[in-house]
Amino acid sequence: MKKTARILALILALMMIVTSFVSCGTDGEDPSNTTVVTTAGEGGENGDGATTTEDRSVSKLPEKHWGDVPYNVLGRDGGVHVQFYNNEIAADTLNGEVVNDAVYSRNEMIKSKYGIIVQKTLDANVYATADLLYKSGYDLYDLVIYIPKYAQQHAEQGFLSDLTAVPHINLNHISWNDYANEQLTVMGKLYYTTSDFLIQDKSRTYIMLYNRVLLRSFDEYSDLYIEDWVESGEWTLEKAGELVTDFTYEVDGVDGHSAADAFGLTLESTHSFATLVFGGGFRVSTIEDGVPRLVGVDDKIISIIDKTLAFASDRNMAMYDGEQPESSTRTWCDSRSLLFCSFPSVFESSLNKYCDFEFGILPYPKYDVAQEKYYTHINIGNGSFFAIPIMAEDQEFCGFGLEALTELSTDTTLDAFYETKCKLQDVYDQRCAEMLDLVFENVVYDIAAICNYGGLYVHIAETVPVMKMNVYQRLYNKSVDTAQGELDEMLASYSS
């Protein structure tokens, strides 16, 4: 991947970034950093309030030094899986690695400015450890980082603080994830979420990659960049299916399709199948007036699943990890697959070592051209959310520390991870970087899917792709009462 073309592409990308910085400095304030606030008094649209513009990038944290006290964060120890570690919490020393050094420098800033020493404890089973501590009444951590599917369980048991009520938490600050907060806030309460502080969750958000060299080796696609379809709104499940079909072919010369042959699509697991249907507009639940409601099954839901199964169910066309002797990653890196469903973390774990060809990054395809946006999904089983334990005695300190970590991460650790590592070091060229931006614009946080109420998420992420047929309607009908009951229990817990 150290090809001359890639180096030139990175230089061009750097020049474009520098140009954008200069432009931002001369063209005025970024409107996305501001919000309109109407206060009592004269003026306003109807003459009964004054309308002002608030700069969302300005911190509201008071100038306070806490006296060099530890801020204890519990995160995940990923064992042999480097992609599961919550390394964004703290770094012991500077080591020349861009993200590690940014984490170290950010924490030094927090210590110098606020007298808070960020300390990390990593555990292989955060949920079990936190559960034992909560039930034993121990106050050891100011912040806990959960695998998404477990955070809701502790929220419903009353172990987590409502972030909307924690002192110093400023959810209006630009460093918070508005899109996530909107989908995770229930009845006005937000018990867990993400922000610019978390990196692991972003490294485990689903993306697609494709082999540009393999694509252009076919005369029919010799002049095509799939990114052109993305930008014109034509990147749909139907288009994806056509490509998967065309790029499934024999390689080894032996009768019968095997792991040694070519696949149109490789997927890291059946949960990538679920992301394909979420990309097409499938949902388990949606938020209406602050309350999650089950979506149900209609003709559109059935059609989304059918369109996805058309190219992702045939194991001659689609290779899933664990179903073949060779991994989907190595198959794609060996140029025996066109499309690859994975995560940004795959660069560090595999691609930077094994991938030596020109590739592109894509959002997950839309249902059809009428669909307005491209969507992706979080890694429910191996991503991250953070929460503040309600038994933490000093909630003011917990909120202050989290707000400091969030605000000071934007231009340090997040910038190092996303702008430098992902968009300059890992990707092939500037167009990959642009596609990454598009992917992260619309990340789905579906509460009923995260919680797997009634087993509905497992039905679409495991049962349907394993059975290779659209049985979701039948499974939904059998599970909906259980799912609704569990959802009602959640709402009752939020009301108490």
Side-chain angles (χ1 to χ4, degrees), residues 463-482:
T463 310
V464 169
V466 169
M467 293 185 68
K468 308 174 190 177
M469 61 179 67
N470 194 349
V471 293
Y472 187 71
Q473 173 80 72
R474 176 164 59 85
L475 295 172
Y476 181 90
N477 291 343
K478 291 176 62 176
S479 306
V480 62
D481 289 343
T482 300

Side-chain angles (χ1 to χ4, degrees), residues 86-162:
N86 286 122
N87 289 324
E88 65 269 79
I89 300 171
D92 296 330
T93 61
L94 296 170
N95 65 7
E97 195 276 318
V98 62
V99 177
N100 175 90
D101 290 358
V103 171
Y104 182 89
S105 299
R106 178 206 61 202
N107 288 356
E108 287 296 300
M109 292 169 56
I110 293 175
K111 179 181 177 181
S112 174
K113 186 174 184 178
Y114 298 121
I116 294 175
I117 302 173
V118 180
Q119 296 185 345
K120 69 177 178 182
T121 299
L122 299 182
D123 193 290
N125 193 333
V126 170
Y127 174 81
T129 298
D131 193 67
L132 179 61
L133 291 172
Y134 298 159
K135 292 175 179 176
S136 301
Y138 288 108
D139 172 16
L140 295 185
Y141 298 104
D142 303 296
L143 189 70
V144 175
I145 302 178
Y146 288 90
I147 292 174
K149 64 181 182 180
Y150 294 125
Q152 181 63 36
Q153 294 182 35
H154 277 166
E156 291 183 30
Q157 293 177 59
F159 291 144
L160 306 182
S161 297
D162 174 13

Side-chain angles (χ1 to χ4, degrees), residues 175 300 367 404 414 445:
S175 56
K300 177 70 174 294
Y367 173 73
L414 179 63
Y445 299 86

Side-chain angles (χ1 to χ4, degrees), residues 4-15:
T4 301
R6 188 172 185 227
I7 294 173
L8 291 173
L10 294 181
I11 293 173
L12 176 61
L14 281 168
M15 293 174 63

Side-chain angles (χ1 to χ4, degrees), residues 333-350:
C333 288
D334 288 344
S335 294
R336 288 187 294 107
S337 173
L338 178 68
L339 299 172
F340 179 32
C341 298
S342 192
F343 311 92
S345 63
V346 76
F347 288 102
E348 183 174 357
S349 62
S350 301

Side-chain angles (χ1 to χ4, degrees), residues 249-323:
Y249 52 89
E250 297 298 314
V251 173
D252 61 2
V254 178
D255 289 341
H257 209 75
S258 70
D261 293 314
F263 297 80
L265 175 68
T266 48
L267 308 93
E268 59 79 40
S269 76
T270 58
H271 291 253
S272 290
F273 174 91
T275 306
L276 282 165
V277 298
F278 272 97
F282 173 94
R283 298 292 182 271
V284 177
S285 67
T286 187
I287 297 289
E288 298 177 10
D289 298 324
V291 177
R293 303 188 188 283
L294 297 179
V295 169
V297 182
D298 57 16
D299 291 343
K300 177 70 174 294
I301 292 293
I302 294 299
S303 180
I304 293 169
I305 300 171
D306 282 341
K307 283 192 173 187
T308 306
L309 282 169
F311 64 86
S313 63
D314 187 338
R315 295 318 195 256
N316 289 331
M317 297 193 297
M319 172 191 276
Y320 291 81
D321 260 3
E323 295 185 356

